Amino acid sequence: MHYPQSEMVGAYGEQLLEWLNNYVFPTEARYKDKDYAKEMSEFFINQLLRNGTTTALVFGTVHPESVDSLFEVAQHLRMRIIAGKVMMDRNAPDYLLDTAESSYQETKALIDKWHGKDRLLYAITPRFAPTSTPEQLTLAGRLKEEYPDVYVHTHLCENKNEISWVRDLYPDRSSYLDVYHHYGLTGSKSVFAHSIHLDDCDWDCLYKTDSTVAFCPTSNLYLGSGLFKLQKAWEHKVKVGIGTDIGAGTTFNILQTMNEAYKVMQMQEYKLSAFEAFYHATLGGAKSLSLDHAIGNFDVGKEADFVVIDPCTTPLQQLRFDNSKNLADELFVLMTLGDDRSIYRTYVDGRLVYTRS
Ligand SMILES: [Zn+2]
């Protein structure tokens, strides 16, 4: 997710590239102001907690201040948040550009400052291949070499115009994914958002490098990007996390996100079971972030991040809950009809951090 895009969820009428130019870039400019970034970080973290999300992988803006703010708020609550400063040195307005060298220096300083501090983790975050020069991706790869334990977070194959743009910008590479692979940015802690339009070679590369893809159904539908092929991820044994992708995604709520994931898979004749959906939202998500040793289920010794869910907050939910035959039914109704009202309490690291009023 992109915390600075919280304030522009539901921006009308565009697909990816126009949406970035018309809405996202002007909004992200505001995060140079540390006070403003702090205020919006608080808003964002509160939205996560009221929706029952205790860990997220988050894009900042190009400004280091944006990441400092988010980490400060998360640290105060002892949350497990992974985040990074966006690296982008071309194809965006001047006011949002860094340079290959400054992005390297700023990222390095942020890693030293935040990675592994309390429960916080850092992600090297080139926005996506079109907004980085080869020099910048080279330095991103160098950072990954210098800090093999940090994450890599970026976008991949979301939109068809985006893909042909990458082909023009990187004519020597065999595919969009191959751009990242070439610069050393694939690996077990690399997360590629969307990954909708991949071929078998790409899936194979993701598998061999143990990389992760993030399935963001509300975003993919909202921007008209396409249908994620969850069946391919299983077939190729590629790790999948489920994401909201705020602000192209239209909800912070993972139950609603699962509801839309079910529909995306219905369009492809794949039955997404409640058990599978809840797996992606919990232990599967933890595995996709290499955090299953610490979070994701109730195994003894893990960190106590959990929610208390009220499955019957509306008359319709009550009716459907009462006539459900088994746990699979109950969970499926919860993911179909549930939303932020379903989150009764949220606990982070054993402490109560949100109660529904
Ligand atoms: Zn995104």
Side-chain angles (χ1 to χ4, degrees):
M1 3 179 19
H2 302 251
Y3 96 82
Q5 293 174 18
S6 305
E7 60 186 279
M8 44 151 298
V9 171
Y12 175 74
E14 305 292 2
Q15 295 211 345
L16 176 66
L17 300 176
E18 296 75 23
W19 175 83
L20 283 170
N21 284 321
N22 296 350
Y23 296 114
V24 173
F25 292 152
T27 303
E28 292 194 359
R30 308 177 73 174
Y31 290 75
K32 188 177 172 43
D33 175 351
K34 174 80 193 285
D35 292 340
Y36 186 72
K38 190 78 181 268
E39 190 187 316
M40 293 311 295
S41 295
E42 278 164 7
F43 179 87
F44 172 82
I45 294 281
N46 285 336
Q47 291 299 306
L48 289 183
L49 297 176
R50 66 171 286 124
N51 282 284
T53 294
T54 49
T55 288
L57 173 59
V58 187
F59 287 87
T61 62
V62 73
H63 317 99
E65 296 86 348
S66 70
V67 179
D68 282 331
S69 308
L70 184 72
F71 277 145
E72 285 166 17
V73 175
Q75 185 180 35
H76 185 68
L77 288 159
R78 303 213 302 251
M79 277 180 88
R80 214 176 239 303
I81 289 285
I82 312 169
K85 169 205 126 67
V86 164
M87 303 167 77
M88 50 195 300
D89 66 344
R90 65 167 163 177
N91 293 323
D94 287 346
Y95 58 78
L96 273 189
L97 295 181
D98 53 17
T99 65
E101 181 60 27
S102 72
S103 70
Y104 172 82
Q105 295 298 349
E106 288 171 351
T107 299
K108 200 174 173 61
L110 287 165
I111 294 171
D112 289 338
K113 185 171 177 186
W114 292 110
H115 184 68
K117 192 164 188 187
D118 297 332
R119 303 178 74 206
L120 307 172
L121 298 163
Y122 197 86
I124 299 163
T125 309
R127 173 173 227 114
F128 67 153
T131 48
S132 286
T133 57
E135 294 70 38
Q136 185 166 57
L137 292 185
T138 302
L139 289 177
R142 185 179 303 166
L143 284 164
K144 179 63 186 165
E145 242 175 65
E146 292 171 350
Y147 300 93
D149 185 46
V150 304
Y151 291 79
V152 172
H153 187 200
T154 189
H155 298 87
L156 171 66
C157 293
E158 176 175 4
N159 167 292
K160 295 205 169 141
N161 291 338
E162 169 209 16
I163 294 168
S164 58
W165 194 20
V166 172
R167 202 174 295 128
D168 293 344
L169 292 170
Y170 289 93
D172 296 341
R173 304 273 62 91
S174 63
S175 73
Y176 189 164
L177 176 61
D178 188 48
V179 174
Y180 297 129
H181 186 59
H182 174 77
Y183 291 102
L185 297 170
T186 47
S188 64
K189 288 194 162 177
S190 296
V191 179
F192 296 102
H194 308 305
S195 306
I196 298 171
H197 311 283
L198 303 179
D199 63 23
D200 280 347
C201 269
D202 294 328
W203 283 111
D204 195 44
C205 174
L206 290 168
Y207 166 71
K208 286 187 174 139
T209 57
D210 196 29
S211 302
T212 291
V213 295
F215 174 21
C216 304
T218 72
S219 168
N220 298 161
L221 294 173
Y222 188 73
L223 291 182
S225 303
L227 304 176
F228 177 73
K229 294 170 190 65
L230 183 55
Q231 66 279 26
K232 283 279 185 189
W234 281 118
E235 202 179 294
H236 291 266
K237 300 191 179 74
V238 171
K239 295 177 295 186
V240 180
I242 190 159
T244 61
D245 192 30
I246 289 287
T250 50
T251 178
F252 275 82
N253 190 269
I254 216 74
L255 297 170
Q256 290 185 356
T257 304
M258 288 149 71
N259 178 18
E260 298 305 307
Y262 174 79
K263 295 171 194 169
V264 165
M265 298 321 299
Q266 274 288 61
M267 295 292 291
Q268 305 175 84
E269 293 169 29
Y270 178 106
K271 277 192 212 177
L272 178 63
S273 72
F275 292 135
E276 183 184 346
F278 276 89
Y279 171 78
H280 290 307
T282 55
L283 186 61
K287 280 189 176 156
S288 73
L289 295 173
S290 307
L291 287 173
D292 49 306
H293 61 284
I295 54 174
N297 62 9
F298 288 101
D299 280 357
V300 173
K302 286 196 181 182
E303 299 162 3
D305 288 353
F306 59 94
V307 293
V308 182
I309 288 178
D310 174 358
C312 302
T313 56
T314 66
L316 180 60
Q317 280 180 310
Q318 186 72 58
L319 179 72
R320 284 295 284 114
F321 190 78
D322 291 344
N323 66 21
S324 291
K325 288 189 283 299
N326 51 39
L327 180 64
D329 275 359
E330 288 169 7
L331 288 174
F332 190 67
V333 169
L334 177 62
M335 68 182 248
T336 305
L337 300 179
D339 55 32
D340 56 330
R341 293 169 296 183
S342 315
I343 307 304
Y344 177 60
R345 287 184 163 181
T346 304
Y347 289 80
V348 163
D349 203 20
R351 292 190 315 151
L352 180 65
V353 289
Y354 168 77
T355 306
R356 192 182 68 199
S357 53

